[in-house]
Amino acid sequence: MINDILNKSFQYNGPSLEDLFKEKLDNSGLTKTQFEKLSGMERRSLDAILDKTSKQTDIIKLLKLTEFLELDFNEALIVHFKDRPVEEIKELQSSMDITFINKFFDLKTLTSLGFISKNDSLEVLKERICKFFDIYSIYEYDRELNEAFYSRTKKSFSDKMKDFWIKSSYKYFELIDNPNEYKRQNLIDLIPKIKPYTQNVETGLLTVFQALYNIGITIVFQPSLPKTQIRGATFLIKDKPCIVITDFNKNYSTIWFALIHELHHVLFDLETIKKTNYHLSGEPDLFLIQEDKANEFASEYLLSSEKMRYIEKMIHNKFMVEKFAKECQIHPCIIYSQYQWRQSEKGNDYWGAFKEHFPNIKSITKKLNVSNWDIDSIRETALKIKELLTV
Protein backbone atom coordinates (compact mmCIF):
# COMPACT_ATOMS: atom_id res chain seq x y z
CA MET A 1 0.00 0.00 0.00
CA ILE A 2 2.76 2.45 0.96
CA ASN A 3 4.61 1.71 -2.26
CA ASP A 4 1.48 2.46 -4.28
CA ILE A 5 0.91 5.73 -2.38
CA LEU A 6 4.51 6.88 -2.91
CA ASN A 7 4.42 6.03 -6.62
CA LYS A 8 1.19 8.00 -7.05
CA SER A 9 2.54 10.91 -5.02
CA PHE A 10 5.59 11.22 -7.30
CA GLN A 11 3.24 11.54 -10.29
CA TYR A 12 0.71 13.83 -8.58
CA ASN A 13 0.27 17.24 -10.20
CA GLY A 14 -2.91 18.48 -8.52
CA PRO A 15 -3.53 21.09 -5.80
CA SER A 16 -1.49 20.91 -2.59
CA LEU A 17 -2.98 20.34 0.86
CA GLU A 18 -2.49 24.05 1.50
CA ASP A 19 -4.49 24.92 -1.64
CA LEU A 20 -7.23 22.47 -0.67
CA PHE A 21 -7.28 23.83 2.90
CA LYS A 22 -7.66 27.44 1.75
CA GLU A 23 -10.45 26.44 -0.63
CA LYS A 24 -12.24 24.54 2.14
CA LEU A 25 -11.98 27.52 4.53
CA ASP A 26 -13.48 29.80 1.88
CA ASN A 27 -16.33 27.40 1.19
CA SER A 28 -17.10 26.80 4.86
CA GLY A 29 -16.75 30.42 6.00
CA LEU A 30 -14.27 29.46 8.70
CA THR A 31 -11.05 31.23 9.48
CA LYS A 32 -7.78 29.43 10.01
CA THR A 33 -7.87 30.33 13.70
CA GLN A 34 -11.40 28.91 14.07
CA PHE A 35 -10.32 25.65 12.46
CA GLU A 36 -7.36 25.42 14.85
CA LYS A 37 -9.64 25.82 17.87
CA LEU A 38 -12.22 23.33 16.59
CA SER A 39 -9.61 20.72 15.68
CA GLY A 40 -7.34 21.27 18.68
CA MET A 41 -4.34 21.82 16.39
CA GLU A 42 -1.68 24.40 17.08
CA ARG A 43 -0.76 26.88 14.34
CA ARG A 44 2.83 25.59 14.24
CA SER A 45 1.72 21.96 13.78
CA LEU A 46 -0.82 22.88 11.10
CA ASP A 47 1.65 25.01 9.15
CA ALA A 48 4.28 22.27 9.34
CA ILE A 49 1.89 19.93 7.51
CA LEU A 50 0.66 22.50 5.01
CA ASP A 51 4.05 23.88 3.99
CA LYS A 52 5.82 20.48 4.46
CA THR A 53 8.46 21.77 6.85
CA SER A 54 8.04 19.07 9.51
CA LYS A 55 10.81 16.46 9.61
CA GLN A 56 8.31 13.71 10.41
CA THR A 57 4.62 13.43 9.57
CA ASP A 58 2.25 13.61 12.53
CA ILE A 59 -0.35 11.08 11.34
CA ILE A 60 -2.98 12.07 13.95
CA LYS A 61 -2.88 15.72 12.94
CA LEU A 62 -2.85 14.77 9.25
CA LEU A 63 -5.92 12.63 9.88
CA LYS A 64 -7.74 15.58 11.48
CA LEU A 65 -6.92 17.76 8.48
CA THR A 66 -8.04 15.00 6.10
CA GLU A 67 -11.41 14.73 7.86
CA PHE A 68 -11.94 18.46 7.50
CA LEU A 69 -11.02 18.36 3.81
CA GLU A 70 -13.37 15.37 3.34
CA LEU A 71 -10.67 13.42 1.57
CA ASP A 72 -10.03 9.70 1.56
CA PHE A 73 -6.99 9.19 3.81
CA ASN A 74 -5.03 7.43 1.06
CA GLU A 75 -5.72 10.35 -1.28
CA ALA A 76 -4.52 12.76 1.41
CA LEU A 77 -1.31 10.75 1.81
CA ILE A 78 -0.68 10.93 -1.95
CA VAL A 79 -1.00 14.72 -1.87
CA HIS A 80 0.95 15.02 1.38
CA PHE A 81 3.99 12.99 0.32
CA LYS A 82 4.44 15.00 -2.86
CA ASP A 83 7.73 16.89 -2.32
CA ARG A 84 8.14 15.73 1.27
CA PRO A 85 11.73 15.75 2.67
CA VAL A 86 13.94 13.09 1.09
CA GLU A 87 14.90 11.71 4.52
CA GLU A 88 11.30 10.88 5.35
CA ILE A 89 10.70 9.21 1.98
CA LYS A 90 13.87 7.12 2.42
CA GLU A 91 12.74 6.06 5.89
CA LEU A 92 9.36 5.05 4.54
CA GLN A 93 10.99 3.15 1.68
CA SER A 94 13.25 1.30 4.11
CA SER A 95 10.24 0.37 6.21
CA MET A 96 8.50 -0.95 3.09
CA ASP A 97 11.57 -2.93 2.06
CA ILE A 98 11.91 -4.57 5.49
CA THR A 99 8.22 -5.48 5.52
CA PHE A 100 8.44 -6.94 2.01
CA ILE A 101 11.54 -9.03 2.75
CA ASN A 102 10.05 -10.41 5.96
CA LYS A 103 6.83 -11.24 4.15
CA PHE A 104 8.37 -13.14 1.23
CA PHE A 105 11.68 -14.55 2.50
CA ASP A 106 12.46 -17.03 5.26
CA LEU A 107 15.55 -15.24 6.54
CA LYS A 108 16.37 -17.86 9.18
CA THR A 109 16.44 -20.74 6.67
CA LEU A 110 18.22 -18.67 4.02
CA THR A 111 20.90 -17.87 6.58
CA SER A 112 21.32 -21.56 7.42
CA LEU A 113 21.70 -22.33 3.69
CA GLY A 114 24.42 -19.71 3.29
CA PHE A 115 22.29 -17.55 0.99
CA ILE A 116 22.64 -14.57 3.33
CA SER A 117 24.61 -13.77 6.48
CA LYS A 118 23.07 -13.21 9.89
CA ASN A 119 24.28 -9.61 10.20
CA ASP A 120 23.58 -8.42 6.65
CA SER A 121 22.23 -4.87 6.41
CA LEU A 122 19.02 -4.04 4.55
CA GLU A 123 20.99 -2.75 1.57
CA VAL A 124 23.09 -5.92 1.42
CA LEU A 125 19.94 -8.09 1.58
CA LYS A 126 18.31 -6.16 -1.25
CA GLU A 127 21.44 -6.34 -3.39
CA ARG A 128 21.78 -10.08 -2.71
CA ILE A 129 18.18 -10.86 -3.73
CA CYS A 130 18.32 -8.71 -6.86
CA LYS A 131 21.64 -10.10 -8.05
CA PHE A 132 20.63 -13.71 -7.36
CA PHE A 133 17.34 -13.47 -9.28
CA ASP A 134 18.64 -11.07 -11.93
CA ILE A 135 16.01 -8.45 -11.09
CA TYR A 136 16.27 -4.68 -10.65
CA SER A 137 14.09 -4.36 -7.55
CA ILE A 138 13.13 -6.75 -4.75
CA TYR A 139 9.49 -6.06 -5.62
CA GLU A 140 9.95 -7.82 -8.97
CA TYR A 141 10.34 -11.05 -6.97
CA ASP A 142 6.63 -10.90 -6.18
CA ARG A 143 5.30 -8.91 -9.11
CA GLU A 144 7.14 -10.10 -12.24
CA LEU A 145 8.00 -13.65 -11.20
CA ASN A 146 4.43 -14.21 -10.01
CA GLU A 147 3.01 -12.87 -13.27
CA ALA A 148 5.34 -15.09 -15.26
CA PHE A 149 4.87 -18.21 -13.23
CA TYR A 150 1.67 -18.22 -11.18
CA SER A 151 -0.56 -16.44 -13.69
CA ARG A 152 -2.33 -19.61 -14.80
CA THR A 153 -3.10 -20.92 -11.34
CA LYS A 154 -3.64 -17.59 -9.56
CA LYS A 155 -1.69 -18.87 -6.58
CA SER A 156 1.64 -18.77 -4.86
CA PHE A 157 2.88 -20.74 -1.91
CA SER A 158 2.39 -19.51 1.64
CA ASP A 159 5.52 -21.52 2.38
CA LYS A 160 8.24 -18.93 1.75
CA MET A 161 11.03 -21.43 1.06
CA LYS A 162 8.94 -23.50 -1.33
CA ASP A 163 8.04 -20.32 -3.19
CA PHE A 164 11.73 -19.35 -3.24
CA TRP A 165 12.69 -22.81 -4.57
CA ILE A 166 10.07 -22.75 -7.34
CA LYS A 167 10.93 -19.22 -8.48
CA SER A 168 14.68 -19.89 -8.49
CA SER A 169 14.12 -23.08 -10.50
CA TYR A 170 11.93 -21.20 -12.98
CA LYS A 171 14.60 -18.53 -13.35
CA TYR A 172 17.27 -21.15 -14.09
CA PHE A 173 15.23 -22.66 -16.91
CA GLU A 174 14.26 -19.27 -18.29
CA LEU A 175 17.90 -18.20 -18.50
CA ILE A 176 19.26 -21.54 -19.78
CA ASP A 177 16.66 -21.33 -22.56
CA ASN A 178 17.22 -24.74 -24.17
CA PRO A 179 17.33 -24.17 -27.97
CA ASN A 180 16.60 -27.80 -28.84
CA GLU A 181 13.12 -28.84 -29.99
CA TYR A 182 11.14 -31.22 -27.76
CA LYS A 183 9.27 -34.13 -29.35
CA ARG A 184 7.63 -36.81 -27.23
CA GLN A 185 8.74 -39.60 -29.57
CA ASN A 186 12.38 -38.67 -29.04
CA LEU A 187 11.95 -39.19 -25.29
CA ILE A 188 10.20 -42.52 -25.88
CA ASP A 189 13.18 -43.59 -28.00
CA LEU A 190 15.73 -42.41 -25.42
CA ILE A 191 14.25 -43.86 -22.20
CA PRO A 192 15.24 -47.51 -22.90
CA LYS A 193 18.86 -46.37 -23.28
CA ILE A 194 19.11 -44.60 -19.89
CA LYS A 195 19.27 -47.50 -17.43
CA PRO A 196 22.84 -48.77 -18.21
CA TYR A 197 24.25 -45.37 -17.26
CA THR A 198 23.31 -46.00 -13.60
CA GLN A 199 26.39 -48.24 -13.56
CA ASN A 200 28.68 -45.34 -14.41
CA VAL A 201 28.89 -43.64 -11.04
CA GLU A 202 31.23 -40.84 -12.06
CA THR A 203 29.67 -39.53 -15.28
CA GLY A 204 26.46 -41.52 -15.90
CA LEU A 205 24.07 -38.85 -14.63
CA LEU A 206 25.79 -36.08 -16.55
CA THR A 207 25.74 -38.10 -19.77
CA VAL A 208 22.00 -38.72 -19.42
CA PHE A 209 21.34 -35.07 -18.57
CA GLN A 210 23.22 -34.07 -21.75
CA ALA A 211 21.28 -36.55 -23.88
CA LEU A 212 17.97 -35.23 -22.51
CA TYR A 213 19.08 -31.64 -23.14
CA ASN A 214 19.71 -32.54 -26.78
CA ILE A 215 16.06 -33.58 -27.16
CA GLY A 216 14.71 -30.42 -25.54
CA ILE A 217 14.47 -31.51 -21.88
CA THR A 218 16.56 -29.46 -19.44
CA ILE A 219 17.64 -31.01 -16.14
CA VAL A 220 18.96 -28.95 -13.21
CA PHE A 221 20.33 -30.61 -10.10
CA GLN A 222 19.61 -28.66 -6.90
CA PRO A 223 20.19 -29.33 -3.20
CA SER A 224 16.98 -30.27 -1.40
CA LEU A 225 15.34 -27.73 0.89
CA PRO A 226 15.08 -28.23 4.65
CA LYS A 227 11.61 -29.21 5.94
CA THR A 228 10.32 -30.30 2.51
CA GLN A 229 9.83 -33.68 0.89
CA ILE A 230 10.58 -32.47 -2.64
CA ARG A 231 12.48 -35.17 -4.57
CA GLY A 232 12.05 -33.49 -7.91
CA ALA A 233 9.83 -31.26 -10.02
CA THR A 234 8.64 -30.97 -13.59
CA PHE A 235 8.06 -27.58 -15.18
CA LEU A 236 6.81 -26.56 -18.60
CA ILE A 237 8.52 -23.40 -19.80
CA LYS A 238 8.17 -22.15 -23.38
CA ASP A 239 6.44 -25.46 -24.15
CA LYS A 240 9.54 -27.45 -23.20
CA PRO A 241 9.80 -29.84 -20.24
CA CYS A 242 12.24 -28.83 -17.53
CA ILE A 243 13.13 -31.05 -14.58
CA VAL A 244 14.71 -30.36 -11.20
CA ILE A 245 16.29 -33.29 -9.39
CA THR A 246 17.25 -32.87 -5.73
CA ASP A 247 19.62 -34.75 -3.47
CA PHE A 248 16.74 -35.67 -1.15
CA ASN A 249 17.88 -38.46 1.23
CA LYS A 250 21.42 -38.06 -0.20
CA ASN A 251 20.94 -41.38 -1.98
CA TYR A 252 22.34 -42.39 -5.40
CA SER A 253 19.48 -44.73 -6.15
CA THR A 254 16.90 -42.10 -5.17
CA ILE A 255 18.39 -39.63 -7.67
CA TRP A 256 17.90 -42.09 -10.54
CA PHE A 257 14.45 -43.02 -9.28
CA ALA A 258 13.49 -39.32 -9.13
CA LEU A 259 14.74 -38.76 -12.69
CA ILE A 260 12.70 -41.63 -14.15
CA HIS A 261 9.72 -40.56 -12.02
CA GLU A 262 9.85 -37.05 -13.51
CA LEU A 263 10.26 -38.41 -17.03
CA HIS A 264 7.00 -40.31 -16.50
CA HIS A 265 5.33 -36.96 -15.76
CA VAL A 266 6.81 -35.54 -18.96
CA LEU A 267 5.45 -38.47 -20.96
CA PHE A 268 1.98 -38.72 -19.44
CA ASP A 269 1.12 -35.57 -17.44
CA LEU A 270 2.35 -32.75 -19.65
CA GLU A 271 -1.16 -31.56 -20.54
CA THR A 272 -2.00 -31.17 -16.84
CA ILE A 273 1.33 -29.50 -16.11
CA LYS A 274 0.68 -27.14 -19.03
CA LYS A 275 -2.27 -25.76 -17.04
CA THR A 276 -0.31 -25.32 -13.81
CA ASN A 277 3.24 -24.64 -15.10
CA TYR A 278 4.83 -27.13 -12.70
CA HIS A 279 4.43 -30.24 -10.55
CA LEU A 280 6.34 -31.01 -7.34
CA SER A 281 7.06 -34.67 -6.60
CA GLY A 282 7.02 -35.62 -2.96
CA GLU A 283 4.59 -32.85 -2.00
CA PRO A 284 0.76 -32.94 -1.90
CA ASP A 285 -0.67 -32.30 -5.36
CA LEU A 286 -3.82 -30.23 -5.80
CA PHE A 287 -4.23 -31.15 -9.47
CA LEU A 288 -4.55 -34.91 -8.95
CA ILE A 289 -1.44 -35.95 -10.84
CA GLN A 290 -1.08 -39.58 -9.80
CA GLU A 291 2.24 -40.07 -8.09
CA ASP A 292 1.64 -43.80 -7.63
CA LYS A 293 1.75 -44.38 -11.38
CA ALA A 294 5.00 -42.41 -11.71
CA ASN A 295 6.49 -44.34 -8.78
CA GLU A 296 5.46 -47.67 -10.27
CA PHE A 297 6.85 -46.67 -13.66
CA ALA A 298 10.23 -45.71 -12.16
CA SER A 299 10.38 -48.82 -10.00
CA GLU A 300 9.48 -51.23 -12.81
CA TYR A 301 11.79 -49.47 -15.26
CA LEU A 302 14.84 -49.74 -13.00
CA LEU A 303 14.06 -53.26 -11.76
CA SER A 304 10.83 -55.14 -12.46
CA SER A 305 8.87 -56.75 -9.63
CA GLU A 306 9.50 -60.14 -11.16
CA LYS A 307 13.26 -59.66 -11.12
CA MET A 308 13.11 -58.21 -7.61
CA ARG A 309 11.26 -61.27 -6.31
CA TYR A 310 14.01 -63.41 -7.77
CA ILE A 311 16.99 -61.58 -6.29
CA GLU A 312 15.56 -60.64 -2.90
CA LYS A 313 16.00 -64.25 -1.73
CA MET A 314 19.76 -63.72 -2.18
CA ILE A 315 19.91 -60.13 -0.93
CA HIS A 316 22.65 -60.92 1.60
CA ASN A 317 24.83 -62.57 -1.03
CA LYS A 318 26.93 -59.65 -2.32
CA PHE A 319 28.37 -61.68 -5.21
CA MET A 320 24.93 -62.72 -6.50
CA VAL A 321 23.48 -59.22 -6.15
CA GLU A 322 26.37 -57.68 -8.08
CA LYS A 323 26.21 -60.38 -10.75
CA PHE A 324 22.44 -59.91 -11.17
CA ALA A 325 22.79 -56.12 -11.23
CA LYS A 326 25.28 -56.43 -14.08
CA GLU A 327 22.88 -58.66 -15.99
CA CYS A 328 20.11 -56.09 -15.47
CA GLN A 329 22.46 -53.24 -16.43
CA ILE A 330 21.90 -51.32 -13.20
CA HIS A 331 24.02 -50.29 -10.23
CA PRO A 332 23.71 -52.81 -7.32
CA CYS A 333 22.46 -50.13 -4.93
CA ILE A 334 19.23 -49.98 -6.94
CA ILE A 335 18.52 -53.58 -5.95
CA TYR A 336 19.24 -52.82 -2.30
CA SER A 337 17.10 -49.69 -2.45
CA GLN A 338 14.17 -51.56 -4.00
CA TYR A 339 14.50 -54.21 -1.31
CA GLN A 340 14.41 -51.54 1.41
CA TRP A 341 11.21 -50.08 -0.06
CA ARG A 342 9.52 -53.47 -0.41
CA GLN A 343 10.40 -54.36 3.16
CA SER A 344 9.14 -51.02 4.47
CA GLU A 345 5.74 -51.77 2.90
CA LYS A 346 5.69 -54.96 5.00
CA GLY A 347 6.51 -52.99 8.14
CA ASN A 348 10.19 -54.01 8.23
CA ASP A 349 12.91 -51.40 8.69
CA TYR A 350 15.95 -52.02 6.50
CA TRP A 351 16.79 -48.36 5.88
CA GLY A 352 20.03 -48.61 7.81
CA ALA A 353 21.18 -51.77 6.02
CA PHE A 354 23.50 -52.15 3.01
CA LYS A 355 25.01 -48.65 3.42
CA GLU A 356 28.38 -49.85 2.16
CA HIS A 357 26.80 -50.65 -1.23
CA PHE A 358 25.58 -47.08 -1.86
CA PRO A 359 28.01 -44.67 -3.54
CA ASN A 360 28.79 -41.38 -1.82
CA ILE A 361 26.85 -38.81 -3.85
CA LYS A 362 29.18 -35.92 -2.98
CA SER A 363 31.72 -37.00 -5.55
CA ILE A 364 28.99 -38.03 -8.00
CA THR A 365 27.13 -34.73 -7.98
CA LYS A 366 30.19 -32.50 -7.75
CA LYS A 367 29.97 -31.51 -11.42
CA LEU A 368 26.19 -31.25 -11.39
CA ASN A 369 25.77 -29.47 -8.07
CA VAL A 370 26.53 -25.97 -9.35
CA SER A 371 23.18 -24.43 -8.39
CA ASN A 372 23.84 -24.17 -4.66
CA TRP A 373 22.12 -21.51 -2.59
CA ASP A 374 25.36 -19.66 -1.85
CA ILE A 375 26.05 -18.79 -5.50
CA ASP A 376 26.13 -15.10 -6.46
CA SER A 377 23.80 -15.12 -9.44
CA ILE A 378 21.36 -17.49 -11.12
CA ARG A 379 22.30 -15.91 -14.47
CA GLU A 380 25.99 -16.77 -14.10
CA THR A 381 25.22 -20.28 -12.89
CA ALA A 382 22.61 -20.85 -15.63
CA LEU A 383 25.31 -20.16 -18.21
CA LYS A 384 27.58 -22.73 -16.51
CA ILE A 385 24.78 -25.31 -16.52
CA LYS A 386 24.05 -24.61 -20.18
CA GLU A 387 27.72 -25.06 -21.01
CA LEU A 388 27.80 -28.30 -18.97
CA LEU A 389 24.75 -29.73 -20.77
CA THR A 390 25.74 -28.71 -24.28
CA VAL A 391 27.76 -31.33 -26.16
Side-chain angles (χ1 to χ4, degrees), residues 180 206-207 209-214 386-391:
N180 298 301
L206 177 58
T207 302
F209 286 8
Q210 290 170 336
L212 288 165
Y213 185 79
N214 284 336
K386 186 166 188 171
E387 185 178 342
L388 189 69
L389 296 176
T390 304
V391 288

Side-chain angles (χ1 to χ4, degrees), residues 190-196 260 296-304 330 338:
L190 180 63
I191 282 182
K193 303 172 186 176
I194 291 175
K195 186 159 56 174
I260 304 304
E296 183 182 356
F297 176 84
S299 180
E300 289 293 316
Y301 172 83
L302 291 168
L303 187 67
S304 69
I330 56 173
Q338 294 275 33

Side-chain angles (χ1 to χ4, degrees), residues 59-73:
I59 294 297
I60 300 300
K61 290 183 172 60
L62 179 60
L63 187 58
K64 287 181 178 181
L65 180 60
T66 300
E67 289 292 325
F68 175 66
L69 297 176
E70 297 182 68
L71 288 175
D72 176 81
F73 189 58

Side-chain angles (χ1 to χ4, degrees), residues 200-390:
N200 187 338
V201 171
E202 293 301 320
T203 61
L205 272 170
L206 177 58
T207 302
V208 171
F209 286 8
Q210 290 170 336
L212 288 165
Y213 185 79
N214 284 336
I215 62 167
I217 303 172
T218 307
I219 313 284
V220 168
F221 188 88
Q222 282 209 99
S224 58
L225 281 180
K227 302 175 185 177
T228 72
Q229 299 293 312
I230 301 173
R231 293 194 311 268
T234 300
F235 298 75
L236 190 66
I237 298 171
K238 296 183 179 178
D239 290 322
K240 294 179 184 179
C242 302
I243 293 173
V244 182
I245 300 297
T246 76
D247 59 356
F248 181 68
N249 284 342
K250 307 292 186 289
N251 185 301
Y252 182 69
S253 177
T254 301
I255 292 172
W256 282 103
F257 185 92
L259 174 62
I260 304 304
H261 176 107
E262 297 307 323
L263 290 176
H264 176 276
H265 288 316
V266 173
L267 281 174
F268 300 106
D269 297 315
L270 219 52
E271 284 304 311
T272 301
I273 294 171
K274 190 177 289 186
K275 298 172 185 174
T276 61
N277 276 334
Y278 66 92
H279 166 71
L280 305 181
S281 294
E283 291 285 320
D285 186 82
L286 298 176
F287 298 94
L288 304 178
I289 289 180
Q290 297 183 37
E291 291 292 84
D292 289 345
K293 286 187 176 180
N295 285 337
E296 183 182 356
F297 176 84
S299 180
E300 289 293 316
Y301 172 83
L302 291 168
L303 187 67
S304 69
S305 299
E306 182 183 354
K307 289 179 179 178
M308 189 64 224
R309 282 193 295 271
Y310 167 77
I311 194 61
E312 67 182 353
K313 300 168 189 175
M314 297 171 274
I315 198 68
H316 296 288
N317 187 324
K318 179 185 174 184
F319 173 78
M320 289 302 296
V321 171
E322 289 182 352
K323 182 175 180 291
F324 191 66
K326 194 170 184 180
E327 291 174 9
C328 296
Q329 294 185 301
I330 56 173
H331 191 280
C333 76
I334 292 173
I335 293 176
Y336 292 115
S337 180
Q338 294 275 33
Y339 181 78
Q340 289 171 332
W341 278 104
R342 285 169 71 90
Q343 288 299 314
S344 70
E345 290 177 349
K346 298 176 183 178
N348 301 323
D349 186 355
Y350 275 80
W351 296 116
F354 315 116
K355 286 183 178 179
E356 67 274 18
H357 302 298
F358 286 79
N360 186 326
I361 69 164
K362 284 186 179 179
S363 60
I364 299 162
T365 59
K366 189 175 181 181
K367 285 185 178 179
L368 302 174
N369 209 7
V370 292
S371 53
N372 287 316
W373 305 116
D374 58 355
I375 61 162
D376 288 336
S377 162
I378 287 179
R379 175 175 286 278
E380 292 173 9
T381 308
L383 293 175
K384 291 179 183 177
I385 296 172
K386 186 166 188 171
E387 185 178 342
L388 189 69
L389 296 176
T390 304

Side-chain angles (χ1 to χ4, degrees), residues 131-190:
K131 187 174 182 182
F132 183 79
F133 282 100
D134 194 40
I135 52 181
Y136 293 104
S137 160
I138 57 172
Y139 298 97
E140 289 180 39
Y141 176 82
D142 177 48
R143 185 174 59 248
E144 292 191 14
L145 288 178
N146 273 13
E147 286 176 4
F149 201 61
Y150 293 128
S151 59
R152 295 181 189 175
T153 55
K154 306 295 182 185
K155 69 163 187 173
S156 62
F157 278 102
S158 57
D159 184 321
K160 298 175 189 177
M161 282 310 301
K162 199 179 293 182
D163 197 49
F164 181 90
W165 190 87
I166 289 169
K167 287 176 177 176
S168 61
S169 298
Y170 171 81
K171 197 70 180 180
Y172 273 117
F173 295 126
E174 181 185 56
L175 292 170
I176 291 170
D177 194 18
N178 190 334
N180 298 301
E181 184 182 4
Y182 169 71
K183 290 183 179 179
R184 188 173 184 269
Q185 187 58 49
N186 289 340
L187 177 57
I188 292 171
D189 295 339
L190 180 63

Side-chain angles (χ1 to χ4, degrees), residues 34-63:
Q34 287 174 317
F35 168 76
E36 290 163 3
K37 288 180 179 178
L38 289 171
S39 64
M41 291 178 66
E42 297 176 356
R43 174 68 59 96
R44 184 173 58 183
S45 299
L46 177 60
D47 286 346
I49 292 174
L50 294 175
D51 59 24
K52 302 184 180 183
T53 55
S54 61
K55 290 184 178 179
Q56 296 290 334
T57 299
D58 188 323
I59 294 297
I60 300 300
K61 290 183 172 60
L62 179 60
L63 187 58

Side-chain angles (χ1 to χ4, degrees), residues 1-10 12 15 17 20 57 59 62-67 69-82 92:
M1 184 186 81
I2 297 175
N3 189 43
D4 187 48
I5 288 169
L6 288 178
N7 285 336
K8 288 179 179 177
S9 73
F10 295 145
Y12 180 73
L17 284 179
L20 293 170
T57 299
I59 294 297
L62 179 60
L63 187 58
K64 287 181 178 181
L65 180 60
T66 300
E67 289 292 325
L69 297 176
E70 297 182 68
L71 288 175
D72 176 81
F73 189 58
N74 284 354
E75 292 177 18
L77 287 173
I78 291 167
V79 180
H80 173 70
F81 281 114
K82 177 71 174 178
L92 266 176

